[in-house]
Amino acid sequence: DVKVTQSSRYLVKRTGEKVFLECVQDMDHENMFWYRQDPGLGLRLIYFSYDVKMKEKGDIPEGYSVSREKKERFSLILESASTNQTSMYLCASSPPQGRFVGNTQYFGPGTRLTVL
Amino acid sequence: RKEVEQDPGPFNVPEGATVAFNCTYSNSASQSFFWYRQDCRKEPKLLMSVYSSGNEDGRFTAQLNRASQYISLLIRDSKLSDSATYLCAVNGRNKLVFGAGTILRVKS
């Protein structure tokens, strides 16, 4: 079974804080993703990575950055958290298929972030 | 027009009913299609992939209509445990695009 883990299930931070969300997968997947999920808006792609040290912007990258130093780990960074970044953050990974990322994605349990 | 669209529902059905959801997509070049199930406050989990010829897994049947650019999910003999949000996913340009989900509530 694919296992994707995220560092925290619930997180509360203050406006302006730097926030790190960690994601680890154990299936040697090349591709990893960060989404946020908000009611009525569905899953929106923030960033993804198809290899170590590679990253590509998704649909809503503003206010976020990412780091992929090791194949199994993909970190999402909120440089200066704002209240509109309160959301559920979901990490996913998928099997290698070059730069084509249309393959099945496996999700972590999510981190519910509240920014006060 | 959104890349992937779903009727948000909710679909309220009695136990034992048959229910169907559709998901339309705009990119005619899409090749990969999936249905995911998401329980309240949980992560999405793959329910089934959708193949060109259609596929069935127990009470669940998925179909693809390329001409009209939609995929469908049919659930027969609904169970209380089928209550969840069902997300469709379609590959777009270098990414998987998810619909916002359809809520299903099965009632006894």
Side-chain angles (χ1 to χ4, degrees):
Chain A
D1 258 3
V2 176
K3 192 155 186 192
V4 181
T5 57
Q6 294 183 227
S7 48
S8 307
R9 293 299 301 271
Y10 300 94
L11 209 51
V12 179
K13 295 291 181 181
R14 297 211 174 271
T15 302
E17 280 193 80
K18 191 167 186 175
V19 182
F20 292 88
L21 302 182
E22 301 281 331
C23 174
V24 178
Q25 49 94 3
D26 66 357
M27 284 301 291
D28 202 37
H29 285 170
E30 252 80 1
N31 302 317
M32 295 188 75
F33 310 83
W34 274 107
Y35 295 89
R36 63 177 284 176
Q37 187 175 32
D38 302 286
L41 298 177
L43 285 161
R44 292 183 290 168
L45 183 63
I46 304 171
Y47 267 98
F48 64 99
S49 169
Y50 52 87
D51 204 350
V52 176
K53 296 193 186 295
M54 305 300 284
K55 61 184 178 184
E56 289 206 19
K57 293 180 180 179
D59 298 316
I60 50 163
E62 296 79 19
Y64 303 95
S65 61
V66 290
S67 172
R68 184 107 181 261
E69 296 297 317
K70 292 186 178 181
K71 190 176 186 180
E72 68 271 18
R73 190 178 297 268
F74 191 35
S75 303
L76 180 70
I77 303 146
L78 287 66
E79 295 289 342
S80 177
S82 63
T83 54
N84 62 12
Q85 292 179 309
T86 291
S87 186
M88 168 72 106
Y89 289 87
L90 288 156
C91 173
S93 72
S94 73
Q97 207 168 1
R99 291 189 64 173
F100 174 66
V101 291
N103 215 335
T104 305
Q105 293 186 15
Y106 300 90
F107 286 84
T111 296
R112 191 165 292 277
L113 172 68
T114 301
V115 182
L116 301 175
Chain B
R1 183 186 172 186
K2 289 183 180 177
E3 287 186 76
V4 178
E5 290 197 79
Q6 294 183 254
D7 181 342
F11 284 60
N12 296 302
V13 303
E15 272 186 292
T18 296
V19 62
F21 314 129
N22 283 344
C23 166
T24 58
Y25 61 94
S26 60
N27 184 355
S28 59
S30 295
Q31 296 294 322
S32 302
F33 308 89
F34 307 94
W35 282 103
Y36 282 77
R37 172 197 167 118
Q38 186 173 23
D39 294 300
C40 189
R41 296 186 172 271
K42 297 287 184 78
E43 73 274 22
K45 292 188 177 176
L46 181 68
L47 181 64
M48 55 200 306
S49 302
V50 186
Y51 305 123
S52 296
S53 55
N55 46 305
E56 191 173 305
D57 183 2
R59 298 182 293 109
F60 298 83
T61 301
Q63 293 198 309
L64 166 63
N65 185 316
R66 282 195 187 276
S68 300
Q69 293 184 208
Y70 72 87
I71 61 173
S72 64
L73 178 68
L74 182 80
I75 305 175
R76 288 182 298 278
D77 189 23
S78 299
K79 312 286 184 196
L80 293 174
S81 57
D82 293 334
S83 296
T85 299
Y86 291 84
L87 308 174
C88 63
V90 177
N91 78 285
R93 286 179 290 123
N94 207 30
K95 63 182 180 180
L96 206 56
V97 182
F98 287 83
T102 297
I103 297 170
L104 172 65
R105 295 184 186 140
V106 182
K107 298 187 185 292
S108 58

